[in-house]
Amino acid sequence: MISSVQQAEFEKLFPFIKQGQPDFVAAFYAEAQYSEIPAGVSICEEGQQCSNLAMIVDGIGRVYKLSASGREVTLYRIYGGESCVLTASCIMNQDNFPAMAMTETPVRVLLIPQANVRQWFCQDQQWQQFIFGLLSHRLSSIISVVEEVAFKRIDVRLAEQFARELAKGGAIIHKTHADLAADVGSSREVVSRILRDMAQRELLVSSRGSIEIINAKAVIELSKQ
């Protein structure tokens, strides 16, 4: 049973819920399942059917592609107040999931059964707009990933990652070389080589599980190339 306190939290993150018709709101809370999932758990694997649409309340999920050689490319991350456009698309079209999804941190989610996702799309305008919003929001970000992987040098894409962290006030990035490789769509070996080059140029100091930026100005300039 979802409490009134939880409902208030959900409606703050997903305002469309309370904007729906009373019958929809009642059905939503009757069918939605609240769940807490630990970090590092696979939510959906490539080729699987999507049984639920996960609406993230808190935490971070990651959607990525995995090649036969084990190389990862992060397509996007999902944060509180968001959901997965690929899952929604697969449910609406009754297709198999074309990527991999996992929890990066512990997450709290509302799980909406696939039958309800399709039924409400035909019945409630607010739910329909929510699904369309997922499509429009994510399409541009996925296109950006494709452009970056196809056209930008790896060192520039790494610098962009670091510049974003610097903008948040963080000079230390707590990620492994494998994590960074997945973010920029490259191999761990290539990323390690580029980080060594950056270290030799005194842009950063790389240690196990973390990167410390020591020349923020140069990193930001590199990110703009």
Side-chain angles (χ1 to χ4, degrees):
M1 178 68 70
I2 295 175
S3 70
S4 59
V5 174
Q6 288 176 315
Q7 289 184 21
E9 180 185 20
F10 303 154
E11 290 169 8
K12 184 177 180 180
L13 290 167
F14 302 98
F16 76 88
I17 299 174
K18 61 182 178 183
Q19 295 167 358
Q21 296 297 318
D23 288 348
F24 165 73
V25 177
F28 180 89
Y29 285 120
E31 298 295 338
Q33 303 169 35
Y34 174 75
S35 182
E36 298 182 1
I37 308 174
V41 172
S42 174
I43 300 173
C44 195
E45 297 189 4
E46 187 166 357
Q48 286 186 339
Q49 285 281 327
C50 300
S51 56
N52 296 283
L53 177 65
M55 300 168 60
I56 305 293
V57 178
D58 185 54
I60 304 172
R62 182 169 75 98
V63 179
Y64 62 99
K65 286 288 289 183
L66 183 65
S67 72
S69 63
R71 175 179 165 186
E72 294 181 12
V73 179
T74 299
L75 299 178
Y76 53 86
R77 287 180 169 82
I78 313 168
Y79 301 90
E82 298 179 347
S83 189
C84 177
V85 63
L86 286 180
T87 301
S89 176
C90 290
I91 288 175
M92 294 302 299
N93 294 300
Q94 301 187 54
D95 290 333
N96 293 334
F97 196 65
M100 307 279 285
M102 66 171 291
T103 56
E104 272 200 336
T105 69
V107 299
R108 298 187 296 128
V109 298
L110 282 175
L111 299 174
I112 310 301
Q114 59 173 316
N116 297 110
V117 174
R118 291 194 293 268
Q119 176 187 349
W120 295 341
F121 185 82
C122 299
Q123 295 178 349
D124 187 86
Q125 184 179 8
Q126 296 299 327
W127 179 258
Q128 186 180 87
Q129 290 178 353
F130 171 66
I131 298 298
F132 278 135
L134 292 179
L135 295 171
S136 61
H137 173 67
R138 285 299 177 192
L139 181 59
S140 59
S141 66
I142 292 175
I143 289 174
S144 295
V145 169
V146 173
E147 289 177 339
E148 289 180 1
V149 171
F151 302 121
K152 285 189 179 179
R153 301 196 322 257
I154 302 296
D155 60 336
V156 174
R157 281 151 50 201
L158 282 171
E160 287 176 342
Q161 295 274 328
F162 300 152
R164 282 193 285 269
E165 294 299 323
L166 288 169
K168 299 175 186 176
I172 300 180
I173 295 91
H174 295 287
K175 289 189 175 184
T176 66
H177 292 193
D179 293 334
L180 292 170
D183 286 343
V184 300
S186 185
S187 68
R188 182 182 59 79
E189 292 77 13
V190 169
V191 166
S192 296
R193 175 173 53 78
I194 292 173
L195 290 175
R196 284 196 298 270
D197 177 66
M198 288 182 169
Q200 290 173 356
R201 293 158 56 192
E202 298 184 344
L203 303 185
L204 53 81
V205 174
S206 178
S207 57
R208 187 176 182 84
S210 67
I211 308 293
E212 181 181 2
I213 307 302
I214 58 176
N215 190 336
K217 181 180 179 181
V219 167
I220 292 170
E221 288 178 353
L222 177 59
S223 73
K224 297 177 179 178
Q225 292 184 11

